[in-house]
Amino acid sequence: MFERNRNTTVIVVGNQKGGVGKTTNTIQLAGALSERGRRSLIIDLDMTSGATKALGAPTDGWISSFELLTGAENAEDTIITHEEPEVRLPPQVHLVPSSRKLAELDTFLAQNPWLIQQDLLLQPMERLRGMYDYVFLDTPPQKTKTTIPALKAADFAVLSTMPDHLAVSAMAEALSDIVAAQKQANAKLALLGVIVCAVPRPKTRLSRELVAYLERTCVDAQGQSLKFRTEISRSVAVQEAQKVGQTLLQYRGDHPVADEYRTLAREFEERLAFLKQRPPILLTEEVAHA
Ligand SMILES: Nc1ncnc2c1ncn2[C@@H]1O[C@H](COP(=O)(O)OP(=O)(O)OP(=O)(O)O)[C@@H](O)[C@H]1O
Ligand SMILES: [Mg+2]
């Protein structure tokens, strides 16, 4: 389907806390990267199909991430491309949709005892390497059967959070998930950064304090901040775009939050280039428990 001449980076977008912007940031970032000429694939690993719906794709009746994970179909045969007339994906943004069949993954694994859950995405990622600049793995809340394989197969992790008390207090756990994955399953996994989104404008005193707290606590082993400098503002336009199945860049490309995502995409690629040049500094457990 495509030439395999790209240097593919696989990114897991995580945080076991629900509703902290994982899916929103994944699709907007892929959209902003497409404006920079990059081709991305989003794999929706959440059976509630957040990314699939937000991109206006059908949630059932299509080959989905279930068939990709189980090997029932070759990875490349599960992809919806931007050329598919029934779905209006942004240019250069492709999707492996999810479906409710993901609920059957447990049963499938029980019936196939030789398959190892944590390795389910390794072969599909090998098949896709070279076809994309970025493969984004959008994970569900909770450490489910699809989160573990995503942490094992990724090159980098991006965490998403919002400046509210519950989201901020869940960050220590999100960081320690990355440390555990590095130690136990995927030594090459590096944390690229933490996206802080849905920041109220003007910033309230509480949101200023929470963002400052994240700045202090989300640091690598050398004390460098892991938070992306670019923060994403809260805006109803983000939700309106999702309701009509478009990225904000498609729906209102002139919106200030669309510009924030463009700036974030630049920072994302700068950080990636920097970390690829030098071995990433692993997080320490002390940091994860800050
Ligand atoms: N910048 C923003 N401004 C306003 N609302 C936002 C913004 N970013 C995300 N949201 C909203 O916050 C909610 C949660 O976002 P999202 O679904 O992306 O989180 P999630 O972490 O993927 O959730 P889940 O864990 O359920 O998959 C959604 O309703 C989304 O529209
Ligand atoms: Mg989601």
Side-chain angles (χ1 to χ4, degrees), residues 22-23 46 50 138-139 141:
K22 294 181 289 291
T23 299
D46 185 352
D138 183 26
T139 61

Side-chain angles (χ1 to χ4, degrees), residues 13 15 17-24 26 44 46 48-51 138-141:
V13 184
N15 197 335
K17 168 106 184 69
V20 288
K22 294 181 289 291
T23 299
T24 305
T26 302
D44 188 346
D46 185 352
T48 66
S49 303
D138 183 26
T139 61

Side-chain angles (χ1 to χ4, degrees), residues 142-155:
Q142 279 102 43
K143 214 182 295 162
T144 60
K145 290 260 144 70
T146 60
T147 311
I148 302 280
L151 284 165
K152 174 123 186 212
D155 304 311

